[in-house]
Amino acid sequence: APGVGHPEAPARLTAVLEVIYLIFNEGYAATSGDDLMRPALCDEALRLVRTLATLAPQEAEGHGLAALLEIQASRTPARADSQGRPVLLMEQDRGRWDPLLIRRGLAALAQAETLAASHGMGPYALQGALAACHARARHPDNTDWHRICALYDALTQVLPSPIVELNRAVAVGMAHGPQA
């Protein structure tokens, strides 16, 4: 099997990261069935990304995806109310977020930022940094919307899409809204 130095390694790493991200997303917000989440898929994606970060420790995007998934997974206990209905991020009880997963995510993000210092962060590291902004805010009013705007500006450069632009517009509105 081709190793990390193999010419096909970057493309293969990108594909592996995409598949892990897709597995996690299907677990985090199931696209079919009656369940809002499929925790087993999230757990498997976390296992895979942790393994990848161990096997390819110099790959910033592997750590970036680990950061994103760890922080997103930390919110699982607060994502649904007692009736199983979804709870929006800004309305979640952040005291129910898993502090261990947040710490793991922030550590992975620090590693990604260190590795990407010379060439800039990629899309997974940037999304991990966005998730970290929410994780660091103990209350929604403490969210660093200006930092989030800057991260979305960077993300639009490496992953331009209508969804990124929409999220950036929301962040700009929050940064310049009445609570800013």
Side-chain angles (χ1 to χ4, degrees):
V4 174
H6 192 276
E8 295 177 15
R12 288 183 179 182
L13 176 65
T14 298
V16 169
L17 292 170
E18 287 174 4
V19 169
I20 293 171
Y21 189 49
L22 288 171
I23 292 168
F24 183 84
N25 281 335
E26 181 58 29
Y28 196 70
T31 57
S32 64
D34 295 331
D35 297 325
L36 173 65
M37 294 174 274
R38 296 164 135 181
L41 287 177
C42 290
D43 291 345
E44 182 61 12
L46 283 168
R47 185 190 71 77
L48 290 170
V49 78
R50 290 170 186 156
T51 300
L52 179 64
T54 300
L55 294 174
Q58 297 304 311
E59 297 293 339
E61 279 295 87
H63 294 287
L65 182 59
L68 175 59
L69 300 190
E70 298 279 6
I71 293 169
Q72 294 291 82
S74 77
R75 300 177 189 157
T76 299
R79 289 192 62 230
D81 66 15
S82 61
Q83 311 299 304
R85 294 179 301 240
V87 177
L88 298 175
L89 174 66
M90 298 303 282
E91 297 170 6
Q92 291 176 10
D93 176 357
R94 294 175 183 218
R96 295 183 62 207
W97 290 359
D98 186 322
L100 174 61
L101 291 176
I102 292 172
R103 284 193 304 275
R104 291 176 81 150
L106 294 176
L109 179 60
Q111 184 68 22
E113 290 172 335
T114 297
L115 292 168
S118 64
H119 54 78
M121 295 196 303
Y124 294 117
L126 288 166
Q127 290 174 83
L130 285 161
C133 288
H134 294 289
R136 288 181 176 121
R138 296 304 302 151
H139 188 273
D141 292 342
N142 303 120
T143 304
D144 186 348
W145 290 106
H146 294 285
R147 171 82 175 132
I148 289 174
C149 289
L151 289 166
Y152 273 119
D153 286 343
L155 189 58
T156 59
Q157 299 302 308
V158 298
L159 187 70
S161 78
I163 299 286
V164 172
E165 289 291 339
L166 176 63
N167 287 338
R168 183 190 172 283
V170 169
V172 168
M174 295 299 288
H176 300 292
Q179 78 284 354

